[in-house]
Each structure stands twice: as C-alpha cells, then as structure tokens.
Amino acid sequence: MTAQPRISFVSLGCPKALVDSERIITQLRAEGYELVKTHEGADAVIVNTCGFLDSAKAESLASIGDALAKNGKVIVTGCMGAEPEQIRAAHPGVLAITGPQAYESVVNAVHEAVPPAHDPFMDLVPPQGVKLTPRHYAYLKISEGCNNRCTFCIIPKLRGDLASRPVGDVLREAEKLVKAGVEELLVVSQDTSAYGVDMRYAPSPWQGREVRTRFYDLAKELGELGAWVRLHYVYPYPHVDEVIPLMAEGKVLPYLDIPFQHASPTVLKAMRRPGNQDKTLERIRAWREICPDLAIRSTFIVGFPGETEEDFETLLSFLDEAKMERVGCFKYEPVTGATANDLGLPVVPDEVKQSRWDRFMARQQAVSAKRIASRVGRRIKVIIDQPGPTVSKGRSQWDAPEIDGNVYVASRRPLRSGDIVTVKVERADAYDLHGVAV
Ligand code: SF4
C-alpha cells in the first residue's frame, strides 16, 4: 500500500447522489485518502449506484463489473445498495454493500478494505468540503427522502420519508460555499417545496435570529448570501406562489424546475402526483405577471399505463399554453417494485410511446425556440462555465448546468470560470444563445 491509500470513485445517478458522493469523499479526504481517476492502481473502488430505473440499475451493475475486472476491491453504495441481493447475484465478489446516505457504513467498509494512513500531516480538506462540481457552482441538498407516493417511483422505498436538514445547518453550509468562491447554489431534494414539513417548520438560530425550516424562509435567507440561488424539484403547492416575488426582486433566480410529469387529470391521478395540479396554467400566468422573466423547466412522461390519445392531446395543449422554456420527456418505463405495475391499466405499446414522444418533442421544440429567441437583443447576466480564447461558454439565469442550454460569449478580455458578465444577446439557435460581453 502507498503512504496515502488511494481510492477511485464512480458516481452514478442524479444530483442528489452526487451530493452523497461529495460527503463520502470529503470524509475520506479528511482521513488522508487520496482520490484517483482510474481503477487500475487504486487500493479500492467505491461505486455510488443509481437504482431508479431498470436501465439505471443495469448501468450500475455494469460499472460494478468494470471496477471488479480492473481493480477487484469494490465497495457499493447508493440507491441500488438498498437491494443487495441483486448486486450479490450479479457480482458475488464485492467487498461491501451499503444503502443510500449510509456515509458511515461506506467509510467503515473503506477502513476495513484499506486502513487509513496515520499521518498527522495528511492532506487537509478545505472547510467547505470537496466538491465534484466546478468550484463556481455547488449543489445544496436540503432534505432526504419523500412523503409522496407517486406510483411510478420507488424513491420513497429506497430513501424513506422526508427528512429535512435544519435550516441553520443548510444556511451555514451555503455560507461556507459562498465564502469559498461558489457563485451559484443549486437547491436540490426530492421535493423542495415540502422542505421542513417533517420538522413542523422548527426554527433554528441564524445570524442572531430565528429562521423557520420552511421553503420560503430558506429561499429568502439564501437570497441574502450574494450568490445565484436556483430552485430544483419544486412541486406546485400553493405556498410556492410566495417565492415568486423573491424572484422578481432578484434575490432568487427567476427559474423554477417543476417536474409536472403530465397534464391530463386522469393520468396525474393514476400517477398520484403531489401538488395542486388543477389550476396550473392560471398559476403560471399569475407567476409571470409578477415575474415576467420567470423560466420554467419541467419533465414529462409519455406512455404511462392507461394514457389515451385524448390524455396525450391534453398534454400537447398544455405545452402550447404553459410556454415553458426547457422541457425533458421520458417514455414510460416500468420500474420493478413500483405500484404503477399493479394498477391494472392498459399498457401503451412501444410504437405508440415512441410516436407520442416524437410528437411531444416537435411541439415543445417550437415553444422553446420561440421563448429562447425572445431573449435576442437583451443585455443579460451570464455565468462563465468554460472560458475559451475568444468565445467562452456560460449560462444565463434561465439555464441550470448540465440540463439546460448555454450562452456562447465572445469577449476581447479574458474571462474566468465563475465570472458573471453582462452579455448583449445577438442571436439564438434551437437551444442556445450567442452574444458579446459588454
Ligand atoms: S415526488 Fe414522487 S417522483 Fe418525486 S421522489 Fe417523491 S414519490 Fe418519487
């Protein structure tokens, strides 16, 4: 073993899993482990798995197989760790399997496989922890688990009911990140608008005051830290209306990531979706009156069991009316263990799913293109993600990293990642904007 034990890490799945990975890595770094990029030559490998869809499980199993072949000492954690039998059946040689958020068990498993080096001068971890995201943005995980029971989803089975972090802890973490140079905080959880319900909105001390563990209060306080604040996984509960004025005032980014999943009341009922979905269009209109710059990103599922052509047409009209900026669409895939499999609803044939997906994408592309083109001629703020010699790649306030579009910024002066610059938008294409730094 080398003086500093070396660990290779694979992080699969959603931003929430990425936050788990960051915590595990932070702990290991604090204990003197070194993180290496390749499995070959590492003393052990950790695979943080995703078990949300069957295709994600297959990807997780393949990653474990790859790590076993290249290294041999493999510790498995994450969502798929909640189903150890499946992993053991495919890969009996793994050293340990732990479930999601079992940070201590993962770290213990690492200690057993590769004991930590006792070096008092070992690498010190920066106080804000180790980030897997670029330094200028960071995911802020505010809770674990979910109280909803959407019929297509097994996350509550894997991760349990909602468990919010006290608001004081979240704000302290956010403050540390901002002090360490983070310019954009991405708030994530399974159900951000339900934040604090499980704690009955218990207050925590923050800067000499009491702040409630509640969605609005968190958004308001985060908005005072001087970084961009972006809200993900927000369900349209009535109290979501309260944060729109914070967006209009520029405290929180004018951006809402709301996974609507469908628009037909029958399908939404069969999906058992949370939130008040009846008057969604009216509410979107009211939000845009208060904050005309609001961008909405959403995801939808087509081909859910029982979805009729009429339901699907309702969804297409919703796209036209809601005029959302960014939309993703998935073809329904049955997830092992999900209630949707037992609803007894007629399965939508694959070719119908495919054709609905094509029609959905074509319809939404026209809507998105119009919304994006409406920014041409404006001066907007852009955060730089990837500086280039003449053109840098960045994002507007309406675009989250990884999932939305980009702004290509021509600039005579050199830009650095994390810079927030004013850009005059000159043209738009289907997804991205192009402009000049002013
Ligand atoms: S809100 Fe629904 S889809 Fe999202 S995690 Fe909870 S149960 Fe799953």
Side-chain angles (χ1 to χ4, degrees):
M1 195 173 61
T2 54
Q4 256 193 329
R6 292 140 62 96
I7 303 290
S8 150
F9 202 105
V10 184
S11 186
L12 302 167
C14 60
K16 285 150 284 199
L18 192 67
V19 174
D20 292 344
S21 298
E22 285 171 348
R23 286 206 194 153
I24 296 165
I25 292 170
T26 299
Q27 180 61 34
L28 292 174
R29 284 281 307 277
E31 295 179 358
Y33 288 85
E34 188 190 339
L35 203 66
V36 291
K37 288 208 170 81
T38 55
H39 296 337
E40 294 94 344
D43 294 303
V45 180
I46 301 175
V47 183
N48 189 4
T49 57
C50 173
F52 185 45
L53 291 174
D54 290 352
S55 49
K57 283 185 191 168
E59 192 195 356
S60 296
L61 288 175
S63 288
I64 297 168
D66 178 57
L68 279 169
K70 291 186 177 145
N71 183 287
K73 280 179 139 183
V74 179
I75 294 157
V76 179
T77 184
C79 279
M80 219 194 149
E83 297 166 294
E85 321 74 45
Q86 277 194 43
I87 301 171
R88 288 250 179 253
H91 299 298
V94 296
L95 293 179
I97 302 174
T98 64
Q101 295 106 52
Y103 312 114
E104 275 184 24
S105 322
V106 183
V107 172
N108 287 342
V110 174
H111 291 167
E112 245 170 65
V114 195
H118 293 292
D119 176 359
F121 301 111
M122 69 193 177
D123 271 1
L124 286 176
V125 174
Q128 75 281 10
V130 176
K131 296 280 120 200
L132 294 180
T133 42
R135 209 173 90 96
H136 62 280
Y137 65 83
Y139 292 98
L140 189 64
K141 192 167 178 177
I142 59 168
S143 60
E144 290 291 356
C146 181
N147 283 349
N148 302 308
R149 294 293 181 263
C150 302
T151 51
F152 56 81
C153 178
I154 53 165
I155 282 180
K157 272 192 199 162
L158 296 175
R159 302 198 153 215
D161 280 340
L162 179 75
S164 303
R165 296 174 61 199
V167 71
D169 289 4
V170 175
L171 290 170
R172 265 185 294 280
E173 180 182 346
E175 188 185 46
K176 265 193 219 164
L177 289 165
V178 174
K179 279 192 181 148
V182 165
E183 299 283 350
E184 179 176 359
L185 296 164
L186 301 125
V187 176
V188 294
S189 71
Q190 309 294 346
D191 180 355
T192 296
S193 25
Y195 176 60
V197 170
D198 54 308
M199 296 180 66
R200 302 219 179 113
Y201 309 122
S204 345
W206 171 245
Q207 295 183 340
R209 290 174 289 121
E210 294 276 290
V211 176
R212 286 176 304 170
T213 299
R214 190 172 170 268
F215 175 60
Y216 171 80
D217 305 62
L218 173 72
K220 182 166 178 288
E221 297 299 335
L222 287 175
E224 298 298 328
L225 296 178
W228 282 13
V229 177
R230 194 180 293 285
L231 303 174
H232 286 280
Y233 312 107
V234 175
Y235 292 100
Y237 302 119
H239 67 268
V240 169
D241 299 357
E242 296 171 9
V243 301
I244 309 296
L246 293 176
M247 296 180 177
E249 286 165 33
K251 299 280 186 197
V252 170
L253 291 182
Y255 179 96
L256 271 180
D257 173 6
I258 310 181
F260 286 117
Q261 308 298 16
H262 215 283
S264 147
T266 329
V267 179
L268 286 169
K269 206 165 158 219
M271 288 178 165
R272 234 188 279 152
R273 291 293 290 163
N276 173 2
Q277 307 263 2
D278 297 350
K279 301 201 170 144
T280 306
L281 285 173
E282 273 172 44
R283 292 187 55 214
I284 292 177
R285 266 181 227 122
W287 293 343
R288 288 203 169 120
E289 254 167 49
I290 298 167
C291 179
D293 254 347
L294 174 68
I296 299 176
R297 106 112 23 216
S298 190
T299 49
F300 292 85
I301 297 173
V302 293
F304 188 78
E307 181 192 65
T308 61
E309 180 58 25
E310 202 188 332
D311 292 323
F312 180 66
E313 290 287 341
T314 305
L315 175 54
L316 291 182
S317 321
F318 180 83
L319 297 181
D320 291 341
E321 303 255 341
K323 298 189 178 60
M324 291 169 288
E325 278 66 15
R326 306 282 179 187
V327 172
C329 182
F330 298 96
K331 283 170 268 179
Y332 175 73
E333 201 184 308
V335 174
T336 313
T339 332
N341 305 329
D342 312 323
L343 294 176
L345 292 166
V347 169
V348 177
D350 282 349
E351 57 285 5
V352 176
K353 268 189 217 168
Q354 182 61 45
S355 105
R356 286 184 185 162
W357 187 87
D358 292 338
R359 287 161 67 199
F360 179 105
M361 293 310 277
R363 192 82 157 243
Q364 176 58 35
Q365 239 157 38
V367 176
S368 290
K370 249 197 207 160
R371 298 291 295 171
I372 294 162
S374 72
R375 321 284 193 206
V376 174
R378 287 183 60 176
R379 279 167 190 251
I380 62 169
K381 293 273 183 228
V382 172
I383 189 163
I384 301 299
D385 286 331
Q386 256 179 51
T390 51
V391 176
S392 299
K393 197 164 139 187
R395 284 172 296 108
S396 73
Q397 305 199 341
W398 309 298
D399 296 301
E402 316 283 341
I403 50 175
D404 296 330
N406 295 300
V407 184
Y408 291 90
V409 183
S411 169
R412 280 208 222 122
R413 62 178 193 276
L415 299 176
R416 285 167 312 172
S417 75
D419 280 352
I420 295 179
V421 290
T422 304
V423 172
K424 181 158 189 295
V425 182
E426 295 187 322
R427 67 186 175 85
D429 54 35
Y431 297 99
D432 303 320
L433 295 173
H434 304 258
V436 188
V438 291

